[in-house]
Amino acid sequence: MKPNRRHVLLLWMLLSSGVSEAIEPISTTIAVGMAATLTAFLASYQNIFYYFHECCRPEWISFNKTGLETDLENKLFGQHIASRIILKAVSGFMGNENPKKPLVLSLHGWTGTGKNFVSKLIAENIYKEGMDSSFVHVFTSTLHFPHPSQYLTYKSQLQQWIKGNVSNCERSMFIFDEMDKMHPGLIDSIKPYLDYYDKLDGVSYRKSIFIFLSNAGGDRIIQTALDFWNAGRNRNEIELKDLETLISLSVFNDNQSGFFHTSLIDKNLVDFFVPFLPLEYQHVVQCALSEMKVRGHEPDFEVAHKVAKDLVYFPKSERAFSVKGCKTIESKLDYYT
Ligand SMILES: *[C@@H]1O[C@H](CO)[C@@H](O)[C@H](O)[C@H]1NC(C)=O
Ligand SMILES: *[C@@H]1O[C@H](CO)[C@@H](O)[C@H](O)[C@H]1NC(C)=O
Ligand SMILES: *[C@@H]1O[C@H](CO)[C@@H](O)[C@H](O)[C@H]1NC(C)=O
């Protein structure tokens, strides 16, 4: 970070101007000793500064694999495929000192299935400050880029932001929410940053992480989960290969989604497509119990079932999956407790 160097310099000037007069009559040995003390003092001042101000340094950015593994196991429900891919992808990437390209994850699934939540878990296990870190950036299409007609303005803005942020810290993380609502031209404009370039304009993006969240392909995922349900098969038997091609095909061919004909998929810039399955009654109960724990309450099974029963499930005949996943659990709990 630049500001702290300025601080140190200021402090140095301040101290040395006063000190130089004072040491005039003193022997060189003492002066040298004082200089050493001063240097040590400055070094520790710098360390203290790093300690209190978030910096692009290992004190603030370091990956906790055990932490991510535990979180995915204990806090994310009903997503055996997503859990496995995320852990493997993030661990592999963060463990590689010299990645050839940034990590690009595309998370797909219906609302409330945990896409945002997983992004948060990743951030929390890399950045000490989690989602509040100044190196984690969230862009929501409808919020940041609401008017399709202004996409050229958004485009240069977004490119400047990404470049500026990665120049500040190569371990930056960018989360794009509602990716399917993003203008295809805007998606194309971030393409260069995701590719196998050593450097672009002197900036290397290879250590950054890009996460795209979207509902695109959600229908196909639901259909697959429903087929398993109707066949009486355990959803844990659903494998990535049952979904992966489906997702990239439907994302590619869906002309409503922002991915349409963008070369993100064409050029294999996305490293992992991560499907999020629709959540069943049992998962909603788990979400409710987990939220009670977060709030420091004793888990109350009766209330958890009450909350879960109150949600709407689809399709109407099977009532297999929660329409909003775990999304409304928090507010519902306020209501029941
Ligand atoms: C990593 O996460 C585990 C599990 O949450 C935690 O016990 C441990 O203290 C963390 N390690 C560091 C270095 O933060
Ligand atoms: C970093 O990104 C944020 C948006 O998340 C933007 O407001 C800021 O200006 C960017 N910083 C630089 C140095 O470009
Ligand atoms: C999108 O595709 C559907 C079916 O393939 C077609 O009916 C529709 O007109 C297309 N919409 C646009 C905007 O191209």
Side-chain angles (χ1 to χ4, degrees):
M1 271 176 54
K2 275 158 211 133
N4 51 22
R5 206 171 278 162
R6 206 168 55 223
H7 279 223
V8 172
L9 195 67
L10 253 167
L11 197 71
W12 171 258
M13 281 160 58
L14 216 83
L15 287 171
S16 56
S17 64
V19 170
S20 66
E21 275 169 38
I23 60 174
E24 214 91 59
I26 311 177
S27 78
T28 334
T29 338
I30 298 180
V32 169
M34 282 184 76
T37 317
L38 204 64
T39 311
F41 171 76
L42 284 177
S44 67
Y45 173 81
Q46 193 165 23
N47 282 339
I48 289 169
F49 187 90
Y50 286 145
Y51 190 78
F52 287 109
H53 292 256
E54 192 189 23
C55 304
C56 185
R57 291 166 57 99
E59 289 93 320
W60 294 90
I61 306 176
S62 75
F63 177 54
N64 185 347
K65 185 178 175 189
T66 321
L68 183 59
E69 195 167 8
T70 324
D71 279 353
L72 288 169
E73 217 162 89
N74 299 333
K75 297 181 182 169
L76 182 72
F77 306 111
Q79 304 298 356
H80 64 285
I81 302 176
S83 217
R84 208 179 53 228
I85 307 178
I86 297 278
L87 184 65
K88 193 178 121 206
V90 178
S91 306
F93 180 75
M94 293 302 290
N96 183 353
E97 268 308 302
N98 195 13
K100 294 280 178 285
K101 74 186 276 304
L103 177 64
V104 186
L105 303 173
S106 192
L107 315 191
H108 298 261
W110 214 243
T111 189
T113 49
K115 302 186 300 288
N116 280 289
F117 185 65
V118 158
S119 315
K120 184 175 153 234
L121 295 183
I122 297 174
E124 284 173 352
N125 285 292
I126 296 179
Y127 303 92
K128 213 169 178 179
E129 300 285 287
M131 292 299 285
D132 293 332
S133 165
S134 46
F135 308 121
V136 175
H137 309 275
V138 182
F139 301 105
T140 305
S141 297
T142 47
L143 195 72
H144 292 93
F145 321 113
H147 309 294
S149 59
Q150 286 175 29
Y151 100 88
L152 284 175
T153 317
Y154 298 148
K155 185 174 156 175
S156 66
Q157 200 175 41
L158 182 60
Q159 288 182 325
Q160 272 170 20
W161 282 348
I162 293 178
K163 186 177 175 196
N165 282 306
V166 177
S167 307
N168 270 346
C169 184
E170 58 180 3
R171 286 269 180 223
S172 289
M173 182 162 140
F174 301 92
I175 302 171
F176 292 84
D177 199 1
E178 302 178 341
M179 189 69 168
D180 39 350
K181 299 200 180 85
M182 196 153 141
H183 192 289
L186 209 48
I187 297 180
D188 267 342
S189 76
I190 57 176
K191 221 178 60 189
Y193 306 119
L194 313 178
D195 215 334
Y196 292 83
Y197 292 116
D198 188 11
K199 281 183 174 170
L200 279 179
D201 279 344
V203 181
S204 167
Y205 298 85
R206 293 173 162 198
K207 290 194 173 170
S208 303
I209 298 181
F210 290 80
I211 302 181
F212 304 141
L213 314 181
S214 76
N215 292 341
D219 294 343
R220 303 295 188 103
I221 299 173
I222 288 172
Q223 192 52 53
T224 306
L226 197 59
D227 290 346
F228 271 71
W229 168 284
N230 285 331
R233 294 175 67 184
N234 188 330
R235 75 193 252 129
N236 286 336
E237 290 171 26
I238 303 176
E239 291 179 45
L240 179 61
K241 64 176 167 47
D242 296 323
L243 297 165
E244 203 174 25
T245 338
L246 277 182
I247 301 174
S248 57
L249 276 182
S250 70
V251 168
F252 190 63
N253 291 324
D254 177 6
N255 54 11
Q256 299 298 311
S257 97
F259 279 103
F260 182 60
H261 272 205
T262 64
S263 34
L264 280 189
I265 291 161
D266 251 357
K267 288 192 67 189
N268 288 319
L269 294 180
V270 175
D271 299 301
F272 296 91
F273 288 100
V274 189
F276 282 71
L277 301 172
L279 296 182
E280 299 171 9
Y281 178 88
Q282 48 157 332
H283 306 121
V284 178
V285 172
Q286 284 178 305
C287 287
L289 291 172
S290 169
E291 178 62 21
M292 289 172 195
K293 208 162 139 196
V294 169
R295 294 182 185 193
H297 300 165
E298 278 294 306
D300 185 333
F301 286 82
E302 202 178 317
V303 171
H305 280 282
K306 225 178 196 166
V307 169
K309 276 193 186 115
D310 243 21
L311 298 186
V312 181
Y313 294 83
F314 73 97
K316 272 208 173 71
S317 47
E318 290 96 338
R319 300 193 77 237
F321 308 119
S322 161
V323 170
K324 294 204 168 152
C326 278
K327 199 166 191 170
T328 53
I329 294 297
E330 280 184 38
S331 53
K332 288 251 190 287
L333 268 184
D334 293 338
Y335 192 74
Y336 282 104
T337 49

